[in-house]
Amino acid sequence: MMMNNSLRNQCKARPGTVIKGKWYKNEYKVIKELGFGANGIVYLAECQGREVALKVSDNSMSISSEMNILKSFTKVQGSALGPSLLSVDDWVNQGVTLPFYVMEYIKGESYLDFLKYKGTSWAIVLILQLLKNLSLLHQSGWVFGDLKPENLIISSPSCQVRCVDVGGTTLVGRSIKEFTEFFDRGYWGLGSRKAEPSYDLFAVAMIFLNSYYPNRFTKKSEGYSQLSQAIKGKKELKMYEPVLEKALLGKYSTADEMRKELMAAANLNMDSSRQKQAPSRTSYQTPTRKRKKGKTKGGLLESMLLVVLISIVYMVYIYTKLL
Amino acid sequence: MNPGTLKQILLITDGCSNHGEDPSAMAAFAREQGITVNVIGVMEQDVIDQKGMQEIQSIAQTGGGVSQVVYTSQLSQTVQMVTRKAMTQTIQGVVNKELQQILGRSKTMDDLPPEKRGEVVEVVEELGETAGLEVLVLVDTSASMTHKLPTVKEALLDLSLSLNARIGENKFSVFVFPGKKSDVEKLLDWTPNLEALTKVFSKLSTGGMTPTGPALREALSYFKKKRSLRSLLSNDDEQFFEESV
Ligand SMILES: Nc1ncnc2c1ncn2[C@@H]1O[C@H](COP(=O)(O)OP(=O)(O)OP(=O)(O)O)[C@@H](O)[C@H]1O
């Protein structure tokens, strides 16, 4: 849903515009627009030499509601749940009072763009990260709600998934107020719109599908069969079929549970792809440049040892990164 | 605060009324009785003409509700959004009234400092989640709507899915206009979910005039009938919203 034009015009601020808070008098210099949606426009701005993100809207309900959520996030320890909230204020623009809030600017690429540049092999890593974030979010009593690639930013340079746009975030047990059809289990006839962890986990599975179907697709039939076909249609998804199926059917009650099984499947897949590579290196039928170097028996043993060592180091690296 | 019950009429149409009294007047009349009127204009590729557009806006404005014109494909999302927005609007109206009593005249939520606003919003959201809700759906079935009806049905099922995830109770009823014999015809009596709609909707015949005004009037009387019956049974505690809007 696009927001209406009058709102867009009212909240419009050109680069260089100084937004001054009515209550706290802080000044924010607009650098550029970061994005807009149904509830307002988000700007990159500068305040006392620091880059911040600033969301302006004409709807004080939604701004205040998001402020409440972000505020409650800051009470969660070690939180990377959403961008941290810095300030809330009003901007009087040509006689019209527009509420806004200021938050941490998360620099990086949105999920699908990131995959486009870096390759879809990142998808599994990002999904595992996302599940870790969600676990914390759920444990603090919230369900993200409108979970979709557009609301995920991969921060640079650390390549960590961060969720932005908490407009759909809902207390566990209440009803989901904002959603996007492709990621909504209700749309696919696979569950209610009650805010519970499994609602988000369905969306996570759909984000995984979206990684390999960047254009998404629309519903042809109710229920699981179409999604199941989609999973079978891509070998990168098929590897994770049992986990995805459970998530889509609402069989995981916690993000940790799903993460554990996804991790196990990922390790299995990496093992098997390593095994597939290993024989080709030692086989004599298809000589490669690498093998030519290690012609002697000792050299062959050495390179095999090296391969094993490197894969162990790699596994340890992946583990420490993800756990 | 007692959440009471919110009452809404949801009008789904694709154009201009051409029979009977002015629908905007009927909407204003509804509002006087604490019933909000929301209007959704559905269009295909064809664009709704200026006159139709004006009528849609005017009905919602005088009915104290929300209006939105959409392409058929966006209907589901819009129906739930419009309903929710109108609920929030009504509750906000009530809360603002209370605030005015505390803070003095002409003060509303937006005059509070941002932090205090957050507390008010919490109350509004809580009420929106727990309040009872009655939605009377009024569907235009004049000829031009024929091929849009399957989508309307989908959207209504989707609405009941959304709202039934709330903690508060819901009741829906569905009317179509023009009816077989009269201006308006009841399809579905008050019910907590719209599942039963699937059967009745496929048998619908379309065609005829677009008596939007008379349809609204009839719909209103349907709310009233039920209320007077109920107020006989219980000491009506449902007037809360009506008085404060
Ligand atoms: N803290 C942030 N740091 C960097 N970029 C951000 C931040 N917050 C939002 N953005 C960008 O701005 C865009 C729009 O923001 P947001 O999604 O909050 O608006 P919205 O009106 O709630 O949109 P929607 O219609 O999706 O609900 C986001 O997609 C994101 O790319």
Side-chain angles (χ1 to χ4, degrees):
Chain A
M1 192 94 315
M2 287 293 90
M3 74 179 153
N4 55 47
N5 276 326
S6 70
L7 163 64
R8 229 187 115 59
N9 290 337
Q10 267 179 9
C11 299
K12 191 95 207 149
R14 286 175 198 291
T17 309
V18 174
I19 295 180
K20 188 172 177 186
K22 167 180 150 188
W23 301 86
Y24 301 110
K25 314 286 180 211
N26 285 328
E27 288 187 354
Y28 305 91
K29 190 164 167 196
V30 173
I31 299 171
K32 63 170 187 185
E33 185 180 313
L34 288 172
F36 69 93
N39 301 319
I41 308 183
V42 181
Y43 293 104
L44 172 64
E46 186 233 282
C47 175
Q48 291 157 7
R50 181 178 177 191
E51 283 187 331
V52 295
L54 191 149
K55 183 162 181 173
V56 193
S57 170
D58 70 338
N59 183 341
S60 65
M61 247 320 268
S62 72
I63 285 286
S64 304
S65 168
E66 289 175 22
M67 171 198 84
N68 281 346
I69 294 162
L70 290 176
K71 216 184 233 171
S72 89
F73 282 0
T74 56
K75 289 177 196 140
V76 180
Q77 281 238 315
S79 107
L81 295 183
S84 54
L85 181 72
L86 302 174
S87 178
V88 201
D89 215 320
D90 287 338
W91 174 37
V92 184
N93 181 26
Q94 295 162 4
V96 187
T97 304
L98 300 164
F100 69 88
Y101 65 79
V102 187
M103 61 189 147
E104 166 197 3
Y105 168 53
I106 298 173
K107 198 182 173 116
E109 222 84 59
S110 75
Y111 181 88
L112 288 178
D113 284 343
F114 185 88
L115 290 189
K116 205 156 66 194
Y117 301 136
K118 300 248 181 174
T120 44
S121 58
W122 274 87
I124 179 69
V125 183
L126 300 181
I127 294 286
L128 286 166
Q129 285 182 6
L130 176 60
L131 284 168
K132 195 159 64 183
N133 292 355
L134 286 176
S135 167
L136 196 62
L137 185 80
H138 295 160
Q139 277 168 38
S140 22
W142 295 96
V143 166
F144 193 80
D146 198 6
L147 202 56
K148 56 180 172 183
E150 295 87 319
N151 287 340
L152 302 176
I153 295 182
I154 320 304
S155 66
S156 65
S158 60
C159 294
Q160 291 286 315
V161 172
R162 298 285 304 268
C163 305
V164 293
D165 187 10
V166 295
T169 304
T170 311
L171 280 173
V172 171
R174 290 197 175 174
S175 55
I176 300 288
K177 48 191 171 185
E178 242 174 60
F179 56 87
T180 303
E181 282 177 347
F182 186 79
F183 304 94
D184 164 47
R185 67 180 182 188
Y187 170 76
W188 293 100
L190 290 170
S192 76
R193 296 208 175 109
K194 248 210 183 331
E196 45 195 24
S198 56
Y199 185 89
D200 278 346
L201 299 180
F202 178 93
V204 172
M206 292 307 286
I207 291 174
F208 207 8
L209 260 71
N210 194 188
S211 315
Y212 297 96
Y213 291 94
N215 294 324
R216 297 178 194 170
F217 41 83
T218 51
K219 182 175 63 172
K220 304 238 161 43
S221 62
E222 197 101 317
Y224 181 63
S225 64
Q226 188 185 348
L227 298 179
S228 169
Q229 285 306 314
I231 293 172
K232 289 190 171 73
K234 302 274 178 193
K235 71 172 196 307
E236 296 91 339
L237 291 171
K238 204 171 177 315
M239 298 192 282
Y240 299 104
E241 190 178 7
V243 181
L244 290 174
E245 178 178 3
K246 276 176 84 172
L248 292 175
L249 297 176
K251 294 203 173 129
Y252 291 116
S253 51
T254 68
D256 286 336
E257 223 178 301
M258 178 171 170
R259 186 167 185 276
K260 214 172 109 202
E261 295 193 14
L262 199 60
M263 180 73 94
N267 278 320
L268 217 70
N269 291 332
M270 293 199 186
D271 276 356
S272 70
S273 61
R274 204 184 54 218
Q275 267 158 27
K276 260 180 233 144
Q277 278 165 15
S280 80
R281 273 187 193 151
T282 46
S283 94
Y284 290 97
Q285 262 84 15
T286 52
T288 61
R289 209 199 293 153
K290 246 183 206 146
R291 240 193 65 247
K292 269 181 198 155
K293 271 188 208 158
K295 259 209 166 112
T296 61
K297 244 187 179 177
L300 186 69
L301 207 80
E302 202 177 65
S303 61
M304 273 173 69
L305 211 77
L306 207 72
V307 168
V308 171
L309 245 161
I310 287 173
S311 21
I312 288 174
V313 169
Y314 183 66
M315 297 269 285
V316 168
Y317 170 76
I318 289 279
Y319 257 94
T320 50
K321 267 283 159 183
L322 296 180
L323 286 178
Chain B
M1 221 184 259
N2 177 358
T5 298
L6 299 167
K7 297 188 174 73
Q8 295 187 356
I9 291 175
L10 176 67
L11 173 64
I12 301 177
T13 179
D14 71 346
C16 256
S17 65
N18 53 18
H19 178 75
E21 52 264 80
D22 178 2
S24 298
M26 286 302 111
F29 186 50
R31 187 183 191 177
E32 285 309 306
Q33 304 174 54
I35 299 167
T36 307
V37 183
N38 300 316
V39 194
I40 292 175
V42 242
M43 51 185 183
E44 206 72 32
Q45 286 356 321
D46 52 292
V47 184
I48 293 189
D49 60 48
Q50 200 57 33
K51 204 163 143 245
M53 195 82 111
Q54 263 168 18
E55 185 178 284
I56 285 165
Q57 279 176 3
S58 157
I59 297 174
Q61 264 158 18
T62 57
V66 177
S67 72
Q68 182 85 43
V69 174
V70 292
Y71 287 114
T72 318
S73 59
Q74 298 169 319
L75 195 61
S76 286
Q77 289 240 312
T78 307
V79 163
Q80 84 107 20
M81 189 204 73
V82 160
T83 305
R84 273 189 191 270
K85 210 163 147 191
M87 286 173 75
T88 309
Q89 206 169 289
T90 309
I91 295 169
Q92 221 179 329
V94 177
V95 172
N96 269 338
K97 264 254 155 67
E98 302 247 321
L99 278 179
Q100 278 167 20
Q101 281 177 2
I102 303 167
L103 303 172
R105 278 186 140 266
S106 76
K107 287 257 181 195
T108 66
M109 188 180 123
D110 293 345
D111 300 315
L112 295 171
E115 282 77 17
K116 285 269 172 299
R117 244 176 258 163
E119 292 168 29
V120 178
V121 167
E122 237 164 65
V123 175
V124 172
E125 285 184 338
E126 165 100 33
L127 287 177
E129 183 68 30
T130 52
L133 174 68
E134 289 173 5
V135 184
L136 189 152
V137 186
L138 202 51
V139 184
D140 175 353
T141 53
S142 59
S144 56
M145 285 289 290
T146 313
H147 53 293
K148 296 170 190 163
L149 287 181
T151 321
V152 171
K153 184 197 76 187
E154 287 297 315
L156 292 177
L157 290 178
D158 195 78
L159 176 70
S160 103
L161 185 71
S162 269
L163 294 176
N164 282 331
R166 296 186 324 124
I167 295 163
E169 243 184 80
N170 304 298
K171 280 198 187 115
F172 304 95
S173 64
V174 182
F175 286 71
V176 292
F177 66 99
K180 274 201 198 78
K181 287 180 227 84
S182 54
D183 283 338
V184 62
E185 184 184 329
K186 179 170 77 183
L187 266 196
L188 204 63
D189 208 341
W190 293 108
T191 165
N193 73 64
L194 287 170
E195 221 87 305
L197 205 63
T198 315
K199 266 180 258 139
V200 280
F201 236 71
S202 52
K203 288 189 216 115
L204 265 182
S205 57
T206 52
M209 310 263 248
T210 312
T212 313
L216 277 170
R217 170 172 39 85
E218 283 290 318
L220 266 180
S221 72
Y222 192 64
F223 265 113
K224 240 185 280 170
K225 248 181 245 153
K226 179 163 154 282
R227 194 186 316 152
S228 57
L229 221 164
R230 172 124 25 109
S231 53
L232 282 180
L233 299 174
S234 66
N235 235 340
D236 207 339
D237 61 341
E238 311 219 328
Q239 303 294 336
F240 179 71
F241 279 112
E242 291 160 34
E243 282 155 10
S244 10
V245 173

